[in-house]
Amino acid sequence: MKITVLDGHGLNPGDLSWDGVKALASEFTVYDRSPQELVAERIGDSEIILLNKVRITSEIIEKCPRLRYVGVLATGYNVVDTKACRGRGITVTNIPSYSTNAVAQHVFAFILHFTNLVASHSASVHEGKWISNPDFCYWLSPLTEISGKTLGIFGFGHIGQKVAEIALSFGMKVIVHAHSEESFKKGLDCISLPSSKLSEISSVSLEDLFKKSDFLSLHAPLTPETTELVNENTLSLMKPSAILINTARGGMISEKDVRAALESKKIAAYAADVLLEEPMSKNCPLYKAPNCLITPHLAWAPKETRLRLLDIAIGNIKAFMAGKPVNVVN
């Protein structure tokens, strides 16, 4: 089958190999990026396409009658009109659970950034401040032990579970607000820890999650119910010392309300790997906001993680070709 990758640069900027996909194709083409107006033309008579952020609309589907399979190189698949694909008999797949370890790791990179202030202290040393200091040690602002602090987790899927597991190893208290009590219990069953440790994870109401968390980390999909979950009202519940972390979806927060909370010191800090609009717009309310740490949607991007994603994508294509598709989302 003819296979076309529409925006391969995000997954593979040159440090991975497409050979595993190429081996499955009669003809194989990779575009680093595809402007929306060229998408239908570049798909052409391809039967299989792979994409990450390129939008596949009903109009594009109508222009590509040979298209049989859309492989999204990510977990989220909102860029594809899955209903239109289903109507045309086009299979759509995604890549679930590939980035759990990497995203959980990034959450704690954010937490430790604020508690240990490694970068700012190293910078001060290289500015000569330790050389001129009369004492053997100094610190620029108070440091924090995370042991004993409360980590709140909104959403209790694979990433939320892994974050909880790591938090317990740091001696943190863990509180969770899951979609339901049943999903909370299922989440506990997925964590490979002794029951004595699992008993340290508590299910709480949404209000208590915001009120009690020293660190609050978001780990849920973007739905009508979670859109702008973090807003002026919920932010007002948080401790002034609390730090909010978002590695889930930019639309889960009101960016203007978070900026206002940072400027008025209603919360201590905000850390995010995702924004409502990506790449960032110069008009983003969080641009240059105080005590705001933003990374450019890279939590998923360690090489090992991207290699795992590519391997799953290849497996998805093979399963589709064998007539037994997996990870189907439509």
Side-chain angles (χ1 to χ4, degrees):
M1 292 185 180
K2 182 177 179 179
I3 301 176
T4 298
V5 182
L6 293 170
D7 57 344
H9 186 270
L11 170 61
N12 181 14
D15 58 347
L16 303 181
S17 171
W18 290 109
D19 286 353
V21 182
K22 188 176 181 180
L24 303 174
S26 58
E27 184 179 341
F28 181 62
T29 305
V30 179
Y31 296 100
D32 281 346
R33 302 167 188 86
S34 290
Q36 199 62 35
E37 64 271 16
L38 294 181
V39 170
E41 176 185 330
R42 289 184 173 182
I43 294 173
D45 59 354
S46 301
E47 291 137 309
I48 292 176
I49 60 172
L50 300 178
L51 57 98
N52 195 318
K53 292 293 183 287
V54 171
R55 289 185 292 111
I56 303 300
T57 63
S58 58
E59 291 78 15
I60 288 172
I61 293 165
E62 288 297 322
K63 294 176 182 177
C64 303
R66 295 197 64 190
L67 187 60
R68 295 177 56 195
Y69 175 93
V70 177
V72 182
L73 299 172
T75 301
Y77 50 89
N78 58 300
V79 294
V80 179
D81 187 332
T82 53
K83 183 178 178 181
C85 285
R86 185 169 60 248
R88 288 285 304 276
I90 299 169
T91 298
V92 183
T93 66
N94 74 335
I95 313 290
S97 306
Y98 74 94
S99 62
T100 299
N101 290 335
V103 177
Q105 174 179 310
H106 203 71
V107 169
F108 281 89
F110 279 148
I111 290 174
L112 295 173
H113 168 87
F114 289 113
T115 59
N116 290 55
L117 306 173
V118 172
S120 55
H121 280 97
S122 176
S124 76
V125 168
H126 286 290
E127 289 167 1
K129 291 183 180 178
W130 203 7
I131 293 172
S132 60
N133 198 282
D135 301 310
F136 77 96
C137 71
Y138 68 94
W139 48 93
L140 301 173
S141 58
L143 307 177
T144 304
E145 280 192 5
I146 61 175
S147 178
K149 298 296 186 294
T150 298
L151 173 64
I153 300 173
F154 180 85
F156 207 41
H158 294 296
I159 298 174
Q161 294 157 20
K162 179 55 101 174
V163 169
E165 183 179 335
I166 297 171
L168 291 176
S169 72
F170 272 108
M172 301 183 81
K173 300 173 184 176
V174 178
I175 57 176
V176 173
H177 182 81
H179 179 67
S180 65
E181 195 61 27
E182 180 182 4
S183 61
F184 171 71
K185 290 177 180 177
K186 285 182 178 179
L188 288 181
D189 290 340
C190 293
I191 300 177
S192 301
L193 289 176
S195 56
S196 59
K197 292 297 291 183
L198 292 179
S199 64
E200 298 176 22
I201 304 175
S202 303
S203 175
V204 298
S205 68
L206 185 63
E207 183 175 342
D208 279 348
L209 185 79
F210 279 89
K211 282 183 175 180
K212 295 180 178 181
S213 297
D214 295 305
F215 302 89
L216 175 53
S217 194
L218 306 179
H219 297 289
L222 185 63
T223 66
E225 291 74 28
T226 63
T227 297
E228 294 198 355
L229 169 86
V230 179
N231 53 50
E232 182 179 8
N233 291 332
T234 50
L235 287 163
S236 69
L237 300 173
M238 298 183 73
K239 302 175 183 179
S241 58
I243 294 171
L244 177 65
I245 299 165
N246 186 6
T247 56
R249 290 290 182 265
M252 290 183 69
I253 72 151
S254 164
E255 292 179 343
K256 64 178 181 60
D257 288 354
V258 168
R259 179 168 191 131
L262 292 169
E263 289 179 337
S264 63
K265 298 185 178 180
K266 288 183 179 177
I267 61 172
Y270 178 62
D273 188 52
V274 288
L275 294 174
L276 183 60
E277 181 182 345
E278 297 175 352
M280 178 186 247
S281 161
K282 66 173 68 173
N283 298 318
C284 175
L286 295 173
Y287 185 46
K288 297 186 179 180
N291 298 319
C292 182
L293 186 65
I294 300 175
T295 52
H297 205 143
L298 53 73
W300 68 285
K303 185 174 182 180
E304 299 88 344
T305 313
R306 290 182 289 112
L307 183 58
R308 185 180 305 117
L309 187 161
L310 185 55
D311 286 344
I312 296 171
I314 293 168
N316 285 351
I317 297 171
K318 287 180 177 179
F320 169 74
M321 288 180 165
K324 298 179 180 179
V326 296
N327 298 321
V328 178
V329 297
N330 70 329

